[in-house]
Amino acid sequence: DAKTTQPNSMESNEEEPVHLPCNHSTISGTDYIHWYRQLPSQGPEYVIHGLTSNVNNRMASLAIAEDRKSSTLILHRATLRDAAVYYCILMKGTASKLTFGTGTRLQVTL
Amino acid sequence: NAGVTQTPKFQVLKTGQSMTLQCAQDMNHEYMSWYRQDPGMGLRLIHYSVGAGITDQGEVPNGYNVSRSTTEDFPLRLLSAAPSQTSVYFCASRSGGPPSGNTIYFGEGSWLTVV
């Protein structure tokens, strides 16, 4: 299975942009890049996903490197409610087994 | 829209007892899985299923059994509870369609303590 690597933790000030990196050097051509986040005492929730092109939705933006070996989740204006653990995973259409790494714990301060 | 429903939310077990964590989804998803999350750690895959009647092991399957007799339900059985199984358990499901529109839905978690 293709693996992802993320920093253990990051900090941000409220109202500032946050760039959360993810390395996936063994990604294959059919792998989609998905991001999930887990708020305290909750199950993970979907944030965004993409294949090759950059993606935007109401929660965040996803920037994918041209060689697809890395990606960056961008929160444009972090709020205290964005404090969570963010997971980057690779998803294939036929894969049944999805593994999560330890993710990046984002702290947001006033 | 119920999504993924897990029961119970909290449970305390004595060492050696058995129990079943229930998971049900109403989205007609083919894929279902169970994860455990220890304090301060990421999610680790216990077992997963690609459809009714088909199950397979994940990273940490020992001490757990699963079955998938219907598309909707995917119960996780602890055969003989041990303190090392104290954890938060998450059930998840997703459709079997292409990953372009394929997101994972998680339950709210089941907090299990084994004393």
Coordinates of all heavy atoms in Angstrom, one line a residue, chain A residues 7-38:
Chain A
P7 N 3.9 15.8 9.0 CA 4.5 16.2 10.3 C 3.5 15.9 11.5 O 2.3 15.9 11.3 CB 4.6 17.7 10.1 CG 3.7 18.1 9.0 CD 3.6 16.9 8.1
N8 N 4.1 15.6 12.6 CA 3.3 15.3 13.8 C 2.4 16.4 14.3 O 1.3 16.2 14.7 CB 4.2 14.8 15.0 CG 4.8 13.5 14.7 OD1 4.3 12.7 14.0 ND2 6.0 13.2 15.3
S9 N 2.9 17.6 14.2 CA 2.1 18.7 14.7 C 2.5 20.0 14.0 O 3.6 20.2 13.5 CB 2.3 18.9 16.2 OG 3.7 19.2 16.5
M10 N 1.6 20.9 14.0 CA 1.8 22.3 13.5 C 1.0 23.3 14.4 O 0.0 22.9 15.0 CB 1.4 22.4 12.1 CG 2.2 21.6 11.1 SD 1.8 21.8 9.4 CE 2.3 23.5 9.1
E11 N 1.4 24.5 14.4 CA 0.7 25.6 15.1 C 0.4 26.7 14.2 O 1.1 27.0 13.2 CB 1.6 26.1 16.2 CG 1.7 25.2 17.4 CD 2.5 25.8 18.6 OE1 2.5 27.0 18.6 OE2 3.0 25.0 19.4
S12 N -0.7 27.4 14.5 CA -1.1 28.5 13.7 C -1.8 29.5 14.6 O -2.4 29.2 15.6 CB -2.1 28.1 12.5 OG -2.6 29.2 11.9
N13 N -1.7 30.8 14.2 CA -2.5 31.8 14.8 C -3.9 31.9 14.1 O -4.0 31.7 12.9 CB -1.8 33.2 14.8 CG -0.6 33.2 15.6 OD1 -0.5 32.5 16.6 ND2 0.5 33.8 15.1
E14 N -4.9 32.2 14.9 CA -6.2 32.4 14.4 C -6.2 33.4 13.3 O -5.5 34.4 13.4 CB -7.2 32.7 15.5 CG -8.7 32.5 15.1 CD -9.6 32.8 16.3 OE1 -9.3 33.5 17.1 OE2 -10.7 32.2 16.2
E15 N -7.1 33.2 12.3 CA -7.2 34.1 11.1 C -6.1 34.1 10.1 O -6.2 34.8 9.1 CB -7.5 35.6 11.6 CG -8.6 35.8 12.5 CD -10.0 35.5 11.9 OE1 -10.2 35.9 10.7 OE2 -10.8 34.8 12.5
E16 N -5.1 33.3 10.4 CA -4.0 33.2 9.5 C -4.1 31.9 8.6 O -4.8 30.9 9.0 CB -2.6 33.1 10.2 CG -2.3 34.5 10.8 CD -0.9 34.5 11.4 OE1 -0.2 33.4 11.4 OE2 -0.5 35.5 11.9
P17 N -3.5 31.9 7.4 CA -3.6 30.7 6.6 C -2.7 29.6 7.2 O -1.7 29.8 7.8 CB -3.1 31.1 5.2 CG -2.2 32.3 5.5 CD -2.8 33.0 6.7
V18 N -3.1 28.3 6.9 CA -2.3 27.2 7.4 C -2.1 26.3 6.2 O -3.0 26.0 5.4 CB -3.1 26.4 8.4 CG1 -2.3 25.2 8.9 CG2 -3.5 27.3 9.6
H19 N -0.9 25.8 6.0 CA -0.5 24.9 5.0 C 0.0 23.6 5.6 O 1.0 23.5 6.2 CB 0.6 25.5 4.1 CG 0.2 26.6 3.3 ND1 0.4 26.7 1.9 CD2 -0.5 27.8 3.6 CE1 -0.1 27.9 1.5 NE2 -0.6 28.5 2.5
L20 N -0.8 22.5 5.4 CA -0.5 21.2 6.0 C 0.1 20.3 4.9 O -0.7 20.0 4.0 CB -1.8 20.6 6.6 CG -2.4 21.4 7.8 CD1 -3.8 20.9 8.1 CD2 -1.6 21.3 9.0
P21 N 1.3 19.9 5.0 CA 1.9 19.1 3.9 C 1.7 17.6 4.1 O 1.5 17.1 5.2 CB 3.4 19.5 4.1 CG 3.6 19.7 5.6 CD 2.3 20.3 6.1
C22 N 1.8 16.9 3.0 CA 1.7 15.5 3.0 C 2.6 14.9 1.9 O 2.5 15.4 0.7 CB 0.3 15.0 2.8 SG 0.1 13.2 2.8
N23 N 3.5 14.0 2.2 CA 4.4 13.4 1.2 C 3.8 12.0 0.9 O 3.5 11.2 1.8 CB 5.8 13.3 1.7 CG 6.5 14.6 1.7 OD1 6.3 15.4 0.8 ND2 7.3 14.9 2.7
H24 N 3.8 11.7 -0.4 CA 3.3 10.4 -0.8 C 4.1 10.0 -2.1 O 3.6 9.9 -3.2 CB 1.8 10.3 -1.1 CG 1.2 11.7 -1.5 ND1 1.3 12.2 -2.8 CD2 0.5 12.6 -0.8 CE1 0.6 13.3 -2.8 NE2 0.2 13.6 -1.6
S25 N 5.4 9.7 -1.9 CA 6.3 9.5 -3.0 C 6.0 8.3 -3.8 O 6.5 8.1 -4.9 CB 7.7 9.5 -2.5 OG 7.9 8.5 -1.5
T26 N 5.3 7.3 -3.2 CA 5.0 6.0 -3.9 C 3.6 6.0 -4.4 O 3.1 4.9 -4.8 CB 5.2 4.8 -2.9 OG1 4.3 5.0 -1.8 CG2 6.7 4.7 -2.4
I27 N 3.0 7.1 -4.6 CA 1.6 7.2 -5.2 C 1.6 6.6 -6.6 O 2.5 6.8 -7.3 CB 1.2 8.7 -5.1 CG1 -0.3 8.7 -5.4 CG2 2.0 9.5 -6.1 CD1 -0.9 10.1 -5.2
S28 N 0.5 5.9 -6.9 CA 0.3 5.4 -8.2 C -0.6 6.3 -9.0 O -1.3 7.1 -8.4 CB -0.2 4.0 -8.2 OG -1.5 3.9 -7.7
G29 N -0.7 6.0 -10.3 CA -1.5 6.9 -11.2 C -3.0 7.0 -10.9 O -3.6 7.9 -11.2
T30 N -3.5 5.9 -10.2 CA -4.9 5.8 -10.0 C -5.3 6.2 -8.6 O -6.4 6.1 -8.2 CB -5.4 4.4 -10.3 OG1 -4.7 3.5 -9.5 CG2 -5.3 4.1 -11.7
D31 N -4.3 6.6 -7.7 CA -4.6 6.9 -6.3 C -5.2 8.3 -6.3 O -4.6 9.3 -6.8 CB -3.3 6.9 -5.5 CG -2.9 5.5 -5.2 OD1 -3.7 4.5 -5.3 OD2 -1.7 5.3 -4.9
Y32 N -6.3 8.5 -5.6 CA -6.8 9.8 -5.2 C -6.2 10.2 -3.9 O -6.0 9.4 -3.0 CB -8.3 9.8 -5.1 CG -9.0 9.9 -6.5 CD1 -9.0 8.9 -7.4 CD2 -9.6 11.1 -6.8 CE1 -9.6 9.0 -8.6 CE2 -10.2 11.3 -8.1 CZ -10.2 10.2 -9.0 OH -10.8 10.4 -10.2
I33 N -6.0 11.5 -3.7 CA -5.5 12.0 -2.4 C -6.7 12.5 -1.6 O -7.4 13.4 -2.1 CB -4.5 13.1 -2.7 CG1 -3.3 12.6 -3.5 CG2 -4.0 13.7 -1.3 CD1 -2.6 13.7 -4.2
H34 N -6.9 12.0 -0.5 CA -8.0 12.4 0.4 C -7.5 13.0 1.7 O -6.5 12.5 2.2 CB -8.9 11.2 0.7 CG -9.9 10.8 -0.4 ND1 -11.3 10.7 -0.1 CD2 -9.7 10.4 -1.6 CE1 -11.9 10.4 -1.3 NE2 -10.9 10.2 -2.2
W35 N -8.2 13.9 2.2 CA -7.9 14.5 3.5 C -9.1 14.4 4.4 O -10.3 14.7 4.0 CB -7.5 16.0 3.4 CG -6.1 16.2 2.9 CD1 -5.7 16.1 1.6 CD2 -4.9 16.5 3.7 NE1 -4.3 16.4 1.5 CE2 -3.8 16.6 2.8 CE3 -4.7 16.7 5.0 CZ2 -2.6 16.9 3.2 CZ3 -3.4 17.0 5.5 CH2 -2.4 17.1 4.6
Y36 N -8.9 14.0 5.6 CA -9.9 13.9 6.6 C -9.4 14.6 7.9 O -8.2 14.8 8.0 CB -10.2 12.5 7.0 CG -10.9 11.7 5.9 CD1 -10.3 11.3 4.8 CD2 -12.3 11.6 6.0 CE1 -11.0 10.7 3.7 CE2 -13.0 11.0 5.0 CZ -12.3 10.5 3.8 OH -13.0 10.0 2.8
R37 N -10.3 15.1 8.7 CA -9.9 15.7 10.0 C -10.7 15.1 11.1 O -11.8 14.7 10.9 CB -10.0 17.2 10.0 CG -11.4 17.7 10.0 CD -11.3 19.2 10.1 NE -12.7 19.8 10.3 CZ -12.9 21.1 10.4 NH1 -11.9 22.0 10.2 NH2 -14.1 21.5 10.6
Q38 N -10.1 15.1 12.3 CA -10.7 14.5 13.5 C -10.7 15.5 14.6 O -9.7 15.8 15.1 CB -10.0 13.2 13.9 CG -10.8 12.5 15.0 CD -10.1 11.2 15.4 OE1 -8.9 10.9 15.1 NE2 -10.9 10.3 16.0

